[in-house]
Amino acid sequence: MRIFLIRHAQSMGNINIKIHETMPDHAIPLSKQGHIQAKQAGVILNQHLNTHELFPEKSIRLWTSPYRRTRETAQGIYKQAHSWIQDQKEHIMLCEQQFGLFDGIPKEQIAK
């Protein structure tokens, strides 16, 4: 078994931290650059798999968290490497630590 870990591409939260004040963390989308990065990740993964013959059959499972940015990253990867991907699964446990209402808010602003 081989495991490839790919973090989500650039999100709007990476560009503007204030987005957390108006949008729930799970709903933050990828940026325009993030969609390009997701596609590039798929191209690189596809090239790697085609070059190294790691699997006798094309049987990759693509796991994501339920966050919009990870779903959008997975879509970009799938578009480029779909011939290798047998299925996609989503799991709530694939989330980073969550801080509820304080998610994405700098420490110095939490008191406000």
Side-chain angles (χ1 to χ4, degrees):
M1 177 190 331
R2 303 241 186 217
I3 298 174
F4 298 91
L5 298 175
I6 302 173
R7 192 176 194 281
H8 67 79
Q10 182 186 67
S11 73
M12 294 303 294
N14 297 126
I15 293 173
N16 178 9
I17 192 87
K18 290 196 175 277
I19 197 167
H20 292 276
E21 295 173 7
T22 59
M23 183 176 285
D25 191 38
H26 67 86
I28 296 173
L30 291 182
S31 66
K32 187 180 280 188
Q33 180 63 28
H35 284 283
I36 293 168
Q37 290 171 341
K39 180 180 175 184
Q40 289 171 334
V43 167
I44 291 167
L45 179 62
N46 190 52
Q47 288 172 345
H48 180 78
L49 294 169
N50 284 327
T51 303
H52 292 91
E53 296 185 29
L54 296 170
F55 305 99
E57 57 188 57
K58 298 182 176 187
S59 59
I60 289 180
R61 174 168 288 151
L62 183 61
W63 286 89
T64 64
S65 79
Y67 283 38
R68 180 176 175 181
R69 58 188 171 268
T70 63
R71 289 175 178 159
E72 290 177 351
T73 300
Q75 286 173 351
I77 291 169
Y78 183 82
K79 286 178 184 176
Q80 302 304 314
H82 60 86
S83 65
W84 286 95
I85 298 170
Q86 76 178 25
D87 68 350
Q88 296 183 54
K89 300 285 184 182
E90 184 176 291
H91 201 283
I92 189 69
M93 296 299 290
L94 292 174
C95 295
E96 33 184 83
Q97 187 174 358
Q98 298 176 20
F99 297 98
L101 295 174
F102 303 112
D103 235 5
I105 298 175
K107 283 190 272 185
E108 56 276 358
Q109 291 186 3
I110 288 178
K112 289 181 184 180

